Structures are given as structure tokens and as C-alpha cells.
Amino acid sequence: MFHTLRSKLLVFFILIAFVPMLVVGFISYTAQKQEMTNHAEKSLSMQSSNIAADISRFLEERVNDAEYLSRNPVMMNPSSSLLDIRDQMYYFLDIHTIYYDTYLIDDEGIVIGDTENEVVGHDLSDRPWFSQAMEGKTFMSDIYYSTILDEPVLVIAAPVYDRRQNVTGVISPSFNLESLEDMLEGYASEQQETGWGGYAFLLNEEGTVISHPEEEHILELNYFDEQGVTKKSIDQVVDDREITKMIDGEVHSFSKIESFPEFHHEWYVGVSVEESELYASLNNLLMKYIISYGVILLFLLFAVYRLSAYLVQPVQQLVETTRNFASGGGHDRKYVNAYEEVNHLNATFDHMTRQLEQRENSHKKSTMVLEATDNGVLAIDRNTKRITLFNRMCEEVFQRDKNYVIGTTVDEVMTYSKPFASFVKSGDIDHLLETMEDSCQFEMECQCDGELRTYFLSVSNLPTMEEEPTKKEMLIVFYDLTEKRQMERELLRSEKLKVVGEMSAGFAHEIRNPLTTIKGFIQLFKERSSEENQKHYPLVIEEIDRVNKIMNELLNIANPNPKEEKTTANVERILKDIILLQESQMKKNHIDLETFFQGDIPDMEVNVNKLKQVFINLIQNGIEAMPDGGRMNIRTRLEDGYSPSEQRVVIQIQDTGIGMNSSTMEKLGTPFFTTKETGTGLGITTSYRVIEEMDGTINVSSETNQGTSFTISIPVKVLESVQ
Ligand code: ADP
Ligand code: MG
């Protein structure tokens, strides 16, 4: 239940706010309670002591009254008549209305005067108060039950002296005990006004109730026995000014009535108040505390509830968004503007999710590319030889689902995929896994599904995310070249066939022409005389020579032994020799020749006759392209490469002749291709062949009616022995 942030916050806040408040409240309540209890108890005991003082004063007054009466001169005069004395007694009763009767007892103990006239003549000499009074001491009895009067009484006896201070008798005024009870009741009614109920009562030293609002208790009830206390414990209560808690929910407080010389009894004034009334204010206080604390708690709960919501809501929202994002539900980015920390957190989360999305997108893209490509992509861990990447193309080629392959070793896959086994063996992948340092590319053939297939493999180390480049995994990217190679082979074959066809046609044409001529002559020879024939023999020989020439040129192209006849020569020297031979023809054709020779071209190893043939062919073609004269430029230069071994000799033969159109340019080099009536169409073919043999190149540029330029470039090959 308390696992959520919100419940924790709630509990925490309530603890830190409410518990101290409760403690403070409790302390203040107990302090106030103590004070109020003290106050209540003190005022209770104060009341009892006040009553005690009142009663004590009351009793003293009664003693004084008796002594006052006893000192009446009429009383003191032994010669006073009984009548006068009685007058004085009545007079006393008139003044002191509290009294209802007065006895005068002579020194024998016989009642000689009684205002009520009821007990005159009674002998009271056995009464203790009588003997006490006769000794000269005013005496006050306890309250006791008078059998004569049949009611509780309190007797006051004061000695009557004569002029010589001899005790002549005893005077005993009887007062109404109800006045004592009235005093106690007066207290009770006072109490009613203050809010406390209760009553007051009197106990003597034996615990007998001597005055009580309920008259039936008087002299009938023993408080000590009733409440199970002793005089000692009550004395203790009086001394400590405590209150005693008695049963029946009443609280009793006691005070002792002070004794004085005429009063030797130990009387206690008891004040009784209902406990609930005494502590009523205390209960009110408790109620007030409970209500105010309840209100504060409610308010606090509400405030804490709101505060925890304020704190927790943005976090909950973030949790919700994160959960949604994690389960692939996207990221809707709707946040409540909360406090700064959470706003920062939201911004960071946004940034993070955006980056994650981007990363995921690019990852998806690369996975898609990997799956869509027609290249097989395969990665192998070099340590464990386990396959870590196997794309769709691999699945097709090796006929295995990638889910079965990824994580298994190369050897395992080889056991159940024959194409894969053949692939690994042909590509020597095992060896590469162990030894390969850098990347490498190669073409290989392997047996796949019963047919021989050609693959181009690019093998490299798989780059890792780590800073240090590792060679942990090897990446093989391969693609199928089988079709391409097949097409190339077919193209080559058809190309060859075409060339053979063209050659055969040209060859047939070239050979058939002289043969037809020779055949014609031979038929003529049969019909004509040998003299006439004689004239035509040279023509026949010429045609046979032509056939021979064609055969020689064809042999040149075939060139069964290219390394033969190689000698060290100078290219410029060879050119100059040729030019010398051709000069007369050029002059005849009105051709101006200009030569630009480099001059320091090194001697090199060449087949002199073949190179001469190339130069003759090209110069001859140039002359033939300028029937109406023109200009011929022959240039040589040495081109430097990166090293002396890469030096090249460049020879350019340029004319201002008829030039060539694009279709002629296209067919240039094809055997027997010629645009001339008596041409063989083998000159350019032969030249290309010779220069190719020398690892050189021929470039042609030509424009119709502007001229043609042939540029030959041959690497300088120098024999060390020659140098
Ligand atoms: P032939 O000279 O016997 O015709 P070649 O092989 O020497 O055979 O030349 C083939 C063809 O190339 C020529 O018939 C001609 O049309 C063209 N040709 C070669 N050289 C030139 C050139 N310098 N100017 C114009 N056409 C040329
Ligand atoms: Mg030619």
C-alpha cells in the first residue's frame, strides 16, 4: 500500500506535520489539565476549610453566648429569685433567636430552671458536660442522640459563678441544630450557582455523620465504615490539603474544624461534588482540543493531499509516457508545466526519446537495406566462429532461415547446408578467419545447388562502435557474378564468330578476285597461241603475288612467334629510314613533310621489321588520304612516368587528308575493312596487333575533310645488358 511515491509522501507529511502538533497539543493539554485539576481541587478544599472556619466561628459564638448568659449578674447573684433568673433566660432567648431552650442546673445536677418547663427537677449530674462545667470549664459536647428530647443534640454547658468565683451551677442553652445544617445547605446552594452541585456534611472523630442534608444519615451512618477509610487517612488528606476520590463518582474534600479550649472534639467538614461536575471544564477543554485538532488534521490532510498531487502528478505523467513509449506507443509529449526539476526531467526525456527514435529509424533503415540488398551479407565472430549476421540473400543462397543460423558456428551450418559448405571451402573462409589482417576481394566459384556459380567476395573486419578498432568479427559481402560472367563469355564468343565471319568474307573476296583473274587468263591461254599468252604471263604472276601479299599480311596478324627477331634499336632512327623511302612518293603527291623529333629517345628492345611495317602502314594511309596533296607532320617525344621504367615513347603521324566519318572510325581495325578500291584492309589491323604486342596503345582522332592523327605510345623497355 505504501509503495507509491504519493502514499509515501502522504504518510511522511502527515508524520512530520501532525505528530509534532499532536505532541505539542498533548503537552499543552496535560499542562492545562493539571492546572485546571489543581484549581478545581484547591477550590474544593478551600471551600471545605471555609465551611470549617465558619462552623468553628459559629461554635465559638455559641460558647460565647453561653458564657455571656452565665455572667449575667442576675445569674451570678445567689439571692436572685428563680423568677428573675427565668426572666433573664427568656430575655436571652428573645435576643438570641437561634436558641430554643435554656436549662439552669444547680450544683447538685438538678434542673432548676427550664424555659420550656419540661425537664425541671431532672437530675443531670451524671452527664459528663455537667461535671466538666462544675470544674469551671465551659463545655461543648459532641452531637449525640438525646433520649430525653428524642433528637440529636449538642449541649453547651457554662459554669455560673458567684461573686467569690465559686461555681454555683451550670447554664446550658440549647440551640437549634438545624442552623448548623442550614449553614451546610447554604454552601450547597452557593455551589449550585457556581455550576458544581454537591453538598457538605459533618463527621465527628468516630466517622459518624453528625450533620447531613439527608437527615436520615445523621447519627445513623458511619462514614469511615461506609467508605472504608480511617480517621488517619482522613487526617492525612486534611494535612496535605488533598481531595479524596470516593466511590460512586463523587469527590470528597475534608477540612478539620479547629478545636478551641471549650471544644475538644475533632470534627470534619466534608464537601462532596460529583466528579463529572468537578472535571466538567476539563472535559470541555478536551473536547475543544479534539475538535480543533480534528479540524487541523482535516485541513492538513487536504493540504498534504493537494501537495502530494502537485509533486507526484508530473512524475506519474512521465512514468505513463515512458511506459507508453517503451511499449511502442509513441511519445505524445504532453506535459503539465510543473516545477523546475520535473520540467528539466521532461526536457531531458524528450531529448532522449527523440534520439532513440532517430536511432531506431536509422537502425530500421539499415536493417531494411540489409534485407533488401541483392548482396549476401554475412558476419562471423572470429573467436567463436559463430555467425552473427545473416541477411535475406544469404537465406536464399544457402537455403537456411537466419533464425536457425544466427548464433551457430560455421562448422555446424556446414553440416546441414551443402551450398554453405561449398562456399566456405571455395572461399577458404576458415583460413581467412584465422589469418586475415586487412580486407580483401576476390572472385571464386562454388558448387551451389548442383550448378557452378561465380561469386565476388569482399571480406573485411566488421567495424565496431568501440573506439579501438578490433578484429573481432569478419564481414563478408558477396554477390553473384554467374550470369554476368556467362553473358561476357557468350558475348566474347559471338564477337569472335562475327570477326571470323567478317574475316572469312573479306578473305574470300580478296582471294577470289585474283583467282578469277588467273582463271580467266588460264582459259584464254587454252584458246590462244603461246606467243599471245606470253604477254599476259606477268599479269598472272602479279595476281599470284597479290595473293601472296595477302597471305603474308595475314601471317603477320597471326604472328605465331612474337618474341622472335627482337633487337635493340632507336625508334627515331627507324622512322627516319622509312621517311627516306617514302619521300619521293610524297613529293610526287605534293605532300609537305615536317618532322619534330625529340632527339634523345633511348634505344629500346623492339621487333624492328614489325615496327617498320606499322610506320609504313600509317604513313602510306596518310599519303593515300591526301590525293591532292597536303601536309604531313611526324612527331616524337618522351613521356616521363613515376619511375624510369614507366617512360614511354610517343609517335604522332598527322595528315591533312580526307579524314574519316564515324562509321569508318567504328570499323577501323577490323580485318579486311577498307574504303579503297585496291586496299587490303589489313594495314590498321596489323598495326594494332603489333603495338598491342609491345604493350603500347594507338589512339586515333579524325575529322572528315580535315585530317587524321594517329598517336602511338610504347613503353620504353631497355635490356640491362644493353645499357
Ligand atoms: P587499306 O589501306 O588497305 O584500305 P588499312 O587497314 O590501311 O587498309 O586502312 C583501312 C581503312 O582506314 C582505309 O581504307 C581508310 O578508309 C581508312 N584510313 C586509314 N588511314 C586513314 C587516313 N590516314 N585517312 C583517312 N582514312 C584512313
Ligand atoms: Mg592501308
Side-chain angles (χ1 to χ4, degrees), residues 24 40 153 162 165 191 223 271 278 310 323 398 432 505 564 622 699 719:
V24 170
V153 293
D162 61 9
Q165 292 298 313
Q191 279 297 90
Y223 183 85
V271 174
L278 183 70
Y310 173 72
R323 193 178 292 149
F398 304 125
L432 281 176
E564 256 181 19
N699 278 317
L719 279 178

Side-chain angles (χ1 to χ4, degrees), residues 553 616-618 620-622 624 674 676 679-684:
E553 287 199 30
I616 291 169
N617 284 345
L618 297 182
Q620 193 60 43
N621 277 351
E624 284 165 5
T674 178
K676 296 164 197 165
T680 61
L682 288 170
I684 299 288

Side-chain angles (χ1 to χ4, degrees), residues 396-657:
E396 274 177 30
V397 173
F398 304 125
Q399 294 155 17
R400 276 287 167 263
D401 193 301
K402 71 161 157 242
N403 295 325
Y404 296 110
V405 174
I406 289 177
T408 51
T409 63
V410 171
D411 297 332
E412 277 171 318
V413 182
M414 278 170 79
T415 56
Y416 54 71
S417 168
K418 271 190 189 159
F420 187 75
S422 164
F423 183 87
V424 171
K425 275 180 201 150
S426 309
D428 207 5
I429 304 294
D430 268 337
H431 183 67
L432 281 176
L433 276 172
E434 278 160 26
T435 59
M436 193 189 79
E437 281 293 313
D438 300 315
S439 54
C440 64
Q441 277 129 12
F442 57 91
E443 206 174 306
M444 63 144 197
E445 285 182 331
C446 76
Q447 202 68 32
C448 200
D449 221 8
E451 47 180 311
L452 197 64
R453 301 201 76 87
T454 312
Y455 291 108
F456 181 80
L457 270 75
S458 168
V459 187
S460 57
N461 290 311
L462 187 68
T464 53
M465 308 294 167
E466 291 155 35
E467 276 176 29
E468 283 280 303
T470 59
K471 290 172 182 168
K472 218 176 134 232
E473 284 184 50
M474 192 170 90
L475 179 72
I476 304 169
V477 180
F478 63 92
Y479 57 89
D480 197 340
L481 277 178
T482 316
E483 269 79 36
K484 196 179 170 219
R485 289 284 175 261
Q486 216 159 1
M487 265 164 67
E488 275 174 2
R489 276 197 292 274
E490 254 154 49
L491 201 69
L492 202 66
R493 203 166 62 219
S494 68
E495 215 39 43
K496 273 182 191 161
L497 277 174
K498 201 174 135 198
V499 170
V500 168
E502 279 170 5
M503 264 184 80
S504 318
F507 186 72
H509 178 76
E510 292 303 320
I511 301 292
R512 190 182 286 145
N513 279 348
L515 285 182
T516 314
T517 315
I518 292 165
K519 190 185 169 191
F521 278 119
I522 302 275
Q523 275 171 350
L524 267 178
F525 289 162
K526 263 201 309 190
E527 293 158 15
R528 293 191 309 199
S529 67
S530 62
E531 250 172 67
E532 266 177 312
N533 287 348
Q534 204 93 51
K535 293 194 272 185
H536 290 103
Y537 283 152
L539 284 172
V540 174
I541 303 284
E542 204 176 303
E543 289 303 307
I544 288 171
D545 279 346
R546 186 171 156 77
V547 172
N548 202 29
K549 187 186 162 198
I550 290 167
M551 287 302 171
N552 276 338
E553 287 199 30
L554 274 175
L555 274 174
N556 259 339
I557 297 170
N559 188 25
N561 218 345
K563 283 223 167 76
E564 256 181 19
E565 300 168 40
K566 272 194 179 170
T567 50
T568 303
N570 189 287
V571 173
E572 283 180 351
R573 182 78 261 142
I574 297 169
L575 261 175
K576 278 175 189 164
D577 287 349
I578 302 293
I579 290 166
L580 212 63
L581 287 173
Q582 304 275 342
E583 254 173 351
S584 58
Q585 201 189 350
M586 285 192 211
K587 253 181 208 155
K588 211 168 90 191
N589 287 20
H590 308 287
I591 293 167
D592 296 333
L593 174 75
E594 255 186 286
T595 53
F596 306 90
F597 287 156
Q598 171 94 15
D600 60 350
I601 286 175
D603 289 354
M604 50 199 265
E605 193 200 2
V606 287
N607 187 324
V608 178
N609 285 336
K610 283 192 174 178
L611 198 57
K612 268 187 185 170
Q613 192 59 54
V614 172
F615 293 151
I616 291 169
N617 284 345
L618 297 182
I619 293 170
Q620 193 60 43
N621 277 351
I623 294 169
E624 284 165 5
M626 297 183 285
D628 304 326
R631 172 186 294 276
M632 179 170 283
N633 291 333
I634 298 175
R635 293 187 180 85
T636 61
R637 67 171 190 276
L638 199 62
E639 258 181 19
D640 285 333
Y642 293 108
S643 65
S645 63
E646 286 172 23
Q647 265 190 338
R648 296 179 85 92
V649 178
V650 179
I651 307 114
Q652 191 187 36
I653 298 164
Q654 197 179 18
D655 65 64
T656 55

Side-chain angles (χ1 to χ4, degrees), residues 617-618 621-622 624-625 655 658-660 664 668 673-676 678-685 702 708 710:
N617 284 345
L618 297 182
N621 277 351
E624 284 165 5
D655 65 64
I658 54 169
M660 289 178 271
T664 309
L668 204 65
F673 167 71
T674 178
T675 55
K676 296 164 197 165
T678 57
T680 61
L682 288 170
I684 299 288
T685 314
S702 181
T708 307
F710 282 87

